[in-house]
Amino acid sequence: MDEKLQLVSILNTYYSITEPKINKLEGYISTNFKIEAKGKTNILKVYDNSAEILELITAENKILLALKDENVHCSEIIANNSGDYNLIIGDYIYRLLTFVSGTFLAESKHTATLMESFGQTLADIDHSLFNLRIAAIKAKEIQWDLQHFQKNWKYLPDIPDVSDRSLVDYFCLQFNEHILPLKYEFRQSIIHNDANDWNVLVQNDAITGIIDFGDMCYSWLINELAIALTYVMMDKENPLEIAIQIIKAY
């Protein structure tokens, strides 16, 4: 059966969504589709069916529900007609999420008001998740988790330019000297872990939501800010001013 026809059948049968307009979106862990029907827009995410993926997206569901309870701006998970958040059909797992509207932060003017909203949104997320304990997330280990930064040191020889390689090597040494001795003093929590400017949506000079929780992990809480700051400070004449605005709001 044609892929779109199959999705139409699934949406009709399991979500009571009729006559949907379907557009494929980018995704690397899941195949994503924008679903428009009767004035509403949702995202359908399709995953390969495996025990590991099922465990992780079930954990993500718990996080999205916790954020919804705290009125934090992010996608909401939508239950199917059986009341389940994960729909398993053969080799695939399906999840339906609300669509967060807005312009990407990467395409928006970074005003002081917007940066303050960004800091506040990050704070709302982290405050909501700080006391949440989910075994699957705590056990998750990914290369993008900055507490495991040292694992990337082995890739230094792959940097062809000598000056670039030396610069990265310098910061690897700084990490060992200044960060590792303090690692047991850092607060830990579940964090979004990827608040880059293509995962943050903006409308009317305010953050409307953060998407893509696929890289979330249980890590040092400070990493949430560190990652977010990295992206918005790039190419700025006064990067520290941007950082101060976000940190103060956070």
Side-chain angles (χ1 to χ4, degrees):
M1 183 187 293
D2 176 82
E3 181 181 53
K4 286 196 175 181
L5 287 177
Q6 187 175 21
L7 293 177
V8 167
S9 177
I10 288 170
L11 291 166
N12 286 344
T13 304
Y14 297 99
Y15 295 97
S16 299
I17 295 176
T18 57
E19 300 180 1
K21 179 182 176 183
I22 301 174
N23 288 298
K24 198 168 187 177
L25 304 173
E26 291 186 11
Y28 65 99
I29 295 176
S30 61
T31 304
N32 303 325
F33 299 90
K34 185 178 181 180
I35 311 297
E36 297 175 277
K38 294 183 178 178
K40 292 185 178 180
T41 305
N42 295 307
I43 299 295
L44 183 68
K45 301 175 78 70
V46 184
Y47 307 80
D48 290 332
N49 185 5
S50 73
E52 181 181 6
I53 289 177
L54 180 59
E55 183 179 39
L56 287 174
I57 62 177
T58 299
E60 183 178 328
N61 293 343
K62 291 179 181 178
I63 286 172
L64 291 176
L65 290 169
L67 293 175
K68 180 183 177 182
D69 288 342
E70 297 295 329
N71 296 315
V72 175
H73 296 302
C74 65
S75 294
E76 294 181 16
I77 185 76
I78 300 173
N80 57 43
N81 291 340
S82 299
D84 299 317
Y85 294 112
N86 300 325
L87 173 65
I88 302 173
I89 302 176
D91 295 330
Y92 299 101
I93 305 170
Y94 300 85
R95 297 167 72 229
L96 191 67
L97 303 170
T98 58
F99 179 79
V100 180
S101 61
T103 304
F104 288 111
L105 181 60
E107 301 172 317
S108 306
K109 184 178 180 181
H110 294 178
T111 65
T113 300
L114 181 57
M115 293 301 95
E116 288 168 8
S117 177
F118 189 24
Q120 183 63 58
T121 300
L122 292 172
D124 289 342
I125 291 173
D126 291 342
H127 185 266
S128 298
L129 301 181
F130 188 69
N131 292 314
L132 190 64
R133 298 292 179 266
I134 300 176
I137 301 299
K138 197 165 185 179
K140 182 180 177 183
E141 189 172 305
I142 56 174
Q143 69 186 102
W144 313 116
D145 183 349
L146 291 178
Q147 67 177 324
H148 304 306
F149 174 74
Q150 284 181 304
K151 289 191 172 185
N152 296 297
W153 208 337
K154 63 184 176 183
Y155 298 117
L156 270 176
D158 296 331
I159 301 175
D161 184 86
V162 175
S163 60
D164 288 345
R165 190 164 60 247
S166 295
L167 182 63
V168 175
D169 184 58
Y170 168 80
F171 282 104
C172 287
L173 292 170
Q174 294 300 303
F175 181 86
N176 281 1
E177 183 175 350
H178 298 291
I179 304 302
L180 286 185
L182 301 174
K183 67 178 182 179
Y184 295 114
E185 297 180 32
F186 297 143
R187 291 182 296 168
Q188 290 186 283
S189 175
I190 293 173
I191 60 173
H192 178 279
N193 195 49
D194 194 17
N196 75 68
D197 46 7
W198 291 104
N199 279 339
V200 181
L201 290 156
V202 177
Q203 203 167 54
N204 299 325
D205 220 17
I207 303 300
T208 54
I210 292 183
I211 61 174
D212 192 355
F213 283 72
D215 287 333
M216 63 184 174
C217 57
Y218 186 82
S219 187
W220 300 333
L221 182 60
I222 192 64
N223 290 345
E224 192 83 283
L225 264 179
I227 292 164
L229 290 174
T230 298
Y231 288 95
V232 294
M233 291 170 67
M234 285 183 185
D235 302 320
K236 296 293 194 304
E237 290 185 9
N238 300 298
L240 292 181
E241 287 184 13
I242 298 290
I244 288 169
Q245 291 164 359
I246 294 172
I247 293 169
K248 277 186 175 180
Y250 183 89

